[in-house]
Amino acid sequence: MKILDGSTSKGGHYAPGVVSRGMLYISGQLPVDHATGALAAGGAAEQTRAALSNLERVLTAAGVTREAVVLCRVYIPDVGLWDEVNLAYAEFFGGHKPARVVVPTRALHHGALVEIEAMAEMEED
């Protein structure tokens, strides 16, 4: 098992990414700015872009691209935000369509409008 650090999280007891048995498991990524730790400005679409950017940081640290993602779980505090989230998500992944789960929740940490976790396949040696 290999622990990856692609995040600036200082408070939680978790790894941003873990590689195990050919899979990369990416912890939930919030739409926070890595330089400041502040929540990304804007609505659900902007926050989704920021969360996906943070997810990509972990992918990059593992040496894989977004096309390696096989599953995403998207947490949103209100299903009314789904259209905005889905649009930004589709822009990020383009023609690649990983399996996806959308989980309506209560309030997310820091008042975020989205949190995204993922699983990706690693390149075989």
Side-chain angles (χ1 to χ4, degrees):
M1 179 169 59
K2 178 180 177 187
I3 308 293
L4 300 173
D5 187 12
S7 169
T8 59
S9 174
K10 296 177 176 97
H13 182 74
Y14 68 95
V18 175
V19 176
S20 178
R21 298 182 186 225
M23 294 295 295
L24 168 62
Y25 300 90
I26 301 174
S27 295
Q29 299 297 304
L30 290 167
V32 295
D33 181 280
H34 280 268
T36 66
L39 189 65
E46 291 83 8
Q47 288 196 16
T48 300
R49 288 183 193 101
L52 288 166
S53 175
N54 291 340
L55 187 138
E56 190 158 47
R57 290 173 65 102
V58 182
L59 289 168
T60 299
V64 296
T65 66
R66 60 183 79 169
E67 287 77 20
V69 174
V70 295
L71 173 68
C72 286
R73 285 187 191 90
V74 180
Y75 302 90
I76 54 176
D78 179 353
V79 280
L81 300 172
W82 181 242
D83 289 340
E84 286 182 74
V85 170
N86 191 53
L87 179 63
Y89 181 95
E91 289 170 357
F92 178 82
F93 282 108
H96 178 59
K97 294 182 178 181
R100 179 176 68 193
V101 179
V102 178
V103 183
T105 67
R106 295 182 184 206
L108 294 170
H109 199 50
H110 302 299
L113 300 176
V114 65
E115 181 172 352
I116 303 171
E117 68 174 294
M119 294 170 47
E121 291 182 330
M122 299 295 294
E123 298 274 331
E124 293 191 26
D125 293 332

